[in-house]
């Protein structure tokens, strides 16, 4: 069996990727410091606990696991927090990734799948965001991801590292079997925060700003189901195995939903009201992020199957009612 080192395999997207990798015949070996992830989420392969800032531990893991490839999910990912504490993002995301990339190159592991973000495009009003769009991040989270993309390109030129970079739009939903799902403390992302509000686990949802230049005044995002997203990662890994070389792919559906539309959709799916109030804008938020790309569909053969808003909220809702991790 082929080992794939999955950093952040105990987290939301990483744990779904481990399931998809295992189903595709790989052994996903999770590397995670369990700071924001869950040991209970590591169900589809072994856990190597460690921190990306610990280079010695990384070298040890590469020597014992001998992965054929790396899938790098581990990162801090909250826009608001990144604006308040940018140093934390540059240290954890950028310095941590530098350690990982150097350790991989050192071990001769030269196939690398990286989770980047559409937030690297920043606020570009009226521009279709495809892979050729300029990257103009407006928050430290996105800046840290763009820096890692640059790092990957430079390590390719110098050391032959090959990368598939996925720029995610907004990831949502959960494993339909509820084996794994989304669980953050505190929860900052819209759909799970909305579900927590419905369940009475928080004092309602705050809508961050209703004065944006959009039809209903709230920000617009392109939501993609986590299971579709991780399917693309397995295709990306095969792309590298087939020697097709480094490539960037957006992962989104091309459909934009405003915050208010997501709240309305959730009412339709759950038959419950979302207790919510209107708050200030959240620093660092882009007005509109919608993918204009079909490259992943055309080149990777990616076929999103579950990325309707109804399915994403339905799967997330089911997970929040049935699945859980020990805290
Ligand atoms: N949002 C909101 N209230 C919340 C969480 C998010 O109004 O409690 C909004 C947020 O301002 C953004 C959208 O929902 O416009 C998606 O935010 P999220 O944090 O889920 O993802 P991001 O786009 O920051 O990656």
């Amino acid at each position: 069996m082929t080992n794939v080192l999955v950093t952040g395999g105990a987290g939301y997207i990483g744990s779904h990727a481990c399931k998809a990798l295992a189903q595709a015949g790989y052994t996903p070996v999770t590397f995670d410091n369990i700071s924001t992830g869950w040991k209970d989420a590591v169900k589809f392969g072994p856990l190597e606990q460690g921190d990306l800032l610990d280079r010695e531990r990384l070298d040890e893991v590469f020597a014992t696991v001998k992965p054929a490839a790396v899938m790098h999910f581990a990162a801090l990912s909250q826009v608001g927090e990144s604006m308040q504490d940018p140093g934390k993002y540059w240290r954890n995301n950028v310095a941590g990734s530098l350690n990982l990339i150097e350790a991989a190159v050192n071990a001769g592991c030269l196939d690398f799948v990286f989770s980047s973000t559409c937030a690297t495009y920043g606020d570009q009003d009226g521009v279709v965001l495809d892979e050729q769009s300029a990257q103009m991040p407006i928050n430290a989270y996105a800046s840290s991801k763009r820096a890692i993309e640059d790092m990957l390109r430079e390590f390719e030129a110098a050391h032959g590292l090959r990368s598939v970079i996925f720029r995610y739009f907004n990831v949502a939903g959960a494993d339909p079997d509820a084996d794994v799902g989304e669980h953050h403390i505190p929860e900052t992302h819209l759909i799970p925060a909305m579900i927590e509000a419905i369940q009475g686990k928080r004092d309602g949802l705050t809508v961050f700003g209703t004065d944006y230049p959009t039809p209903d005044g709230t920000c617009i995002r392109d939501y993609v189901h986590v299971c579709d997203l991780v399917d693309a990662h397995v295709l990306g890994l095969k792309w590298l195995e087939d020697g097709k070389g480094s490539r960037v792919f957006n992962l989104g559906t091309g459909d934009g939903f405003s915050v208010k539309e997501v709240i309305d959709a959730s009412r339709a799916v759950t038959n419950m009201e979302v207790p919510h109030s209107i708050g200030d804008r959240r620093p660092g938020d882009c007005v509109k992020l919608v993918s204009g790309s079909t490259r992943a569909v055309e080149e990777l053969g990616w076929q999103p199957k579950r990325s309707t808003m109804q399915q994403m909220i339905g799967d997330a809702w089911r997970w929040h009612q049935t699945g859980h991790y020990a805290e």
Side-chain angles (χ1 to χ4, degrees), residues 77-79 117 119 141 169-170 187-194 202 205-209 212 218-221 223 259 282 285-287 289:
S77 63
Q78 294 176 30
V79 168
T117 172
Y141 162 63
F169 285 72
N170 285 58
E187 188 51 75
T188 64
H189 292 110
L190 178 62
I191 291 177
M194 193 176 67
R202 64 165 64 208
L205 177 82
T206 305
V207 175
F208 296 141
Y212 284 98
T218 62
C219 292
I220 294 175
R221 296 288 181 273
Y223 294 83
V259 174
R282 183 174 66 178
D285 270 344
C286 298
V287 178
L289 290 167

Side-chain angles (χ1 to χ4, degrees), residues 5 7 31 51-63 96 99-101 103:
L5 192 68
T7 75
F31 184 87
D51 196 297
L52 291 175
L53 294 173
D54 182 350
R55 175 65 198 273
E56 259 179 53
R57 176 72 182 126
L58 274 169
D59 286 339
E60 187 182 279
V61 168
F62 273 99
N99 272 342
L100 174 68
I101 291 167

Side-chain angles (χ1 to χ4, degrees), residues 42 57 63 65 83 92 118 143 146 168 190 236 249-250 265 288-289 307 317 327:
V42 185
R57 176 72 182 126
V65 172
M83 297 300 280
N92 277 279
C118 65
S143 298
R146 189 187 60 174
Y168 308 163
L190 178 62
F249 297 98
N250 280 354
K288 179 177 176 181
L289 290 167
S307 294
W317 178 241
E327 288 180 12

Side-chain angles (χ1 to χ4, degrees), residues 15-280:
S15 60
H16 288 77
C18 286
K19 182 168 181 176
L21 283 166
Q23 285 176 334
Y26 297 92
T27 301
V29 180
T30 290
F31 184 87
D32 202 300
N33 65 4
I34 316 291
S35 64
T36 56
W38 306 94
K39 279 190 179 165
D40 278 5
V42 185
K43 298 181 170 179
F44 311 101
L47 168 65
E48 292 284 353
Q49 200 163 332
D51 196 297
L52 291 175
L53 294 173
D54 182 350
R55 175 65 198 273
E56 259 179 53
R57 176 72 182 126
L58 274 169
D59 286 339
E60 187 182 279
V61 168
F62 273 99
T64 51
V65 172
K66 298 185 175 51
V70 175
M71 274 194 192
H72 180 30
F73 297 97
L76 298 173
S77 63
Q78 294 176 30
V79 168
E81 182 189 54
S82 82
M83 297 300 280
Q84 284 157 8
D85 192 355
K88 193 172 168 184
Y89 279 69
W90 283 87
R91 187 170 305 103
N92 277 279
N93 293 0
V94 181
S97 296
L98 175 59
N99 272 342
L100 174 68
I101 291 167
E102 283 188 328
V105 166
N106 192 45
C109 175
L110 297 178
D111 285 345
F112 201 99
V113 178
F114 176 56
S115 78
S116 187
T117 172
C118 65
T120 59
Y121 296 121
D123 254 335
Q124 302 191 38
D125 197 20
V127 173
V128 173
L129 298 174
D130 66 20
E131 292 84 352
Q132 270 105 45
S133 300
Q135 290 179 290
M136 301 187 280
I138 63 162
N139 59 63
Y141 162 63
S143 298
S144 75
K145 289 285 186 175
R146 189 187 60 174
I148 300 161
E149 290 194 15
D150 290 344
M151 207 188 288
L152 287 170
R153 279 185 275 274
E154 284 158 17
F155 274 73
E156 171 161 32
H159 305 295
L161 184 73
R162 300 166 291 261
S163 63
V164 164
I165 294 172
F166 288 115
R167 295 188 188 136
Y168 308 163
F169 285 72
N170 285 58
V171 189
D175 173 37
D177 304 325
D179 284 338
V180 282
E182 185 168 15
H183 187 30
H184 296 112
I185 296 178
E187 188 51 75
T188 64
H189 292 110
L190 178 62
I191 291 177
M194 193 176 67
I195 290 173
E196 283 187 6
I198 297 173
Q199 291 178 320
K201 291 183 180 164
R202 64 165 64 208
D203 293 338
L205 177 82
T206 305
V207 175
F208 296 141
T210 52
D211 58 348
Y212 284 98
T214 60
D216 67 19
T218 62
C219 292
I220 294 175
R221 296 288 181 273
D222 175 340
Y223 294 83
V224 54
H225 196 293
V226 64
C227 293
D228 288 336
L229 185 98
V230 298
D231 282 352
H233 286 65
V234 175
L235 293 170
L237 182 58
K238 292 187 196 299
W239 171 281
L240 289 171
E241 285 173 354
D242 290 346
K244 292 182 175 170
S246 297
R247 197 80 172 131
V248 176
F249 297 98
N250 280 354
L251 293 178
T253 64
D255 293 327
F257 289 84
S258 72
V259 174
K260 281 187 179 166
E261 286 171 335
V262 173
I263 293 173
D264 289 344
S266 115
R267 198 178 294 120
V269 173
T270 64
N271 270 326
M272 313 241 323
E273 283 301 319
V274 182
H276 66 278
S277 57
I278 308 302
D280 292 337

